[in-house]
Amino acid sequence: MYYGSCVALLVTLNEDGSENIAPMSSTWSLRNRIVLGMGAASRTVANLRRLPELTINLPSASMWQQVERLSGLTGMPEVPEHKAGQFRFEPDKWHAAELNRTASTGVRPGRISECPIQMEAVVESTMLIDEAPEGFVVVAARVEAMHVHESIALADGAGVDPDSWEPLIFSFRSYRSAEREVGRMSRGVRK
């Protein structure tokens, strides 16, 4: 039933000060809030419980191979039983995915330089959906700062140019890109 959405790469801080990068595509946003759904037994959830700060990085469609390099990796030194056979521990996901770090301005986890959209966020709430190891946690985060590459920014700097931005979409186990505009919302259009 997973129809998917934009891929996000979450960066959180491990106990030893290193960073974990987790790919995901269970997100939605409303104004400056982002809701994230992730595995309850993940390194990301453990990190956010200890330090409720993260960066949410949105890769372009051309980055699908870097995202795929992360898909079978876990930041948990002891791979959880429900992930055994499908995941392996990787302490340096930056290197494994060939990604570069940029320092954040307001949170401790870094941002992914290659991602055209990078958000610094603070966790406001978490909700455990299922206690089983394969269960899920819903995280609501408030975006404190957003960084957009010039190549996709509107000329006036007031947002993202949807004709320039090609997000990576994950849908039914397939990496996709948005092809073209088929219509435009009339409410709230600038004159």
Side-chain angles (χ1 to χ4, degrees):
M1 192 184 99
Y2 185 70
Y3 55 84
S5 60
C6 285
V7 171
L9 297 175
L10 308 181
V11 181
T12 58
L13 204 60
N14 295 320
E15 279 184 344
D16 65 2
S18 64
E19 292 172 324
N20 185 60
I21 304 172
M24 64 162 331
S25 58
S26 297
T27 71
W28 63 272
S29 64
L30 185 61
R31 293 195 184 117
N32 67 335
R33 302 303 199 276
I34 296 188
V35 177
L36 311 162
M38 61 194 79
S42 69
R43 169 59 71 187
T44 300
V45 170
N47 286 347
L48 291 175
R49 284 185 174 136
R50 195 184 63 265
L51 176 68
E53 299 179 354
L54 72 156
T55 62
I56 304 162
N57 304 270
L58 303 181
S60 62
S62 64
M63 294 177 64
W64 78 269
Q65 290 174 313
Q66 289 167 293
V67 172
E68 180 60 15
R69 285 185 205 120
L70 294 166
S71 71
L73 305 178
T74 179
M76 300 294 276
E78 294 181 25
V79 178
E81 187 176 321
H82 70 281
K83 288 185 173 185
Q86 294 182 28
F87 288 81
R88 71 173 174 80
F89 170 61
E90 175 54 60
D92 187 357
K93 292 184 182 180
W94 291 100
H95 180 74
E98 299 177 12
L99 295 169
N100 294 294
R101 183 185 190 279
T102 297
S104 293
T105 59
V107 297
R108 286 173 264 187
R111 297 180 283 130
I112 298 173
S113 303
E114 292 82 359
C115 290
I117 298 176
Q118 309 153 7
M119 295 167 275
E120 300 179 27
V122 176
V123 173
E124 291 187 321
S125 68
T126 61
M127 180 174 62
L128 181 64
I129 299 297
D130 185 351
E131 291 186 38
E134 316 79 45
F136 297 96
V137 169
V138 174
V139 174
R142 181 182 66 250
V143 174
E144 300 287 323
M146 184 168 167
H147 309 273
V148 176
H149 285 188
E150 281 185 20
S151 64
I152 65 165
L154 289 171
D156 64 4
V160 173
D161 177 5
D163 290 328
S164 298
W165 167 227
E166 190 177 357
L168 178 61
I169 309 290
F170 188 73
S171 178
F172 296 105
R173 303 183 58 85
S174 173
Y175 295 105
R176 323 257 332 151
S177 69
E179 292 292 324
R180 62 186 172 85
E181 180 179 312
V182 295
R184 185 167 288 261
M185 179 182 189
S186 61
R187 181 177 50 87
V189 175
R190 291 188 230 171
K191 303 268 178 185

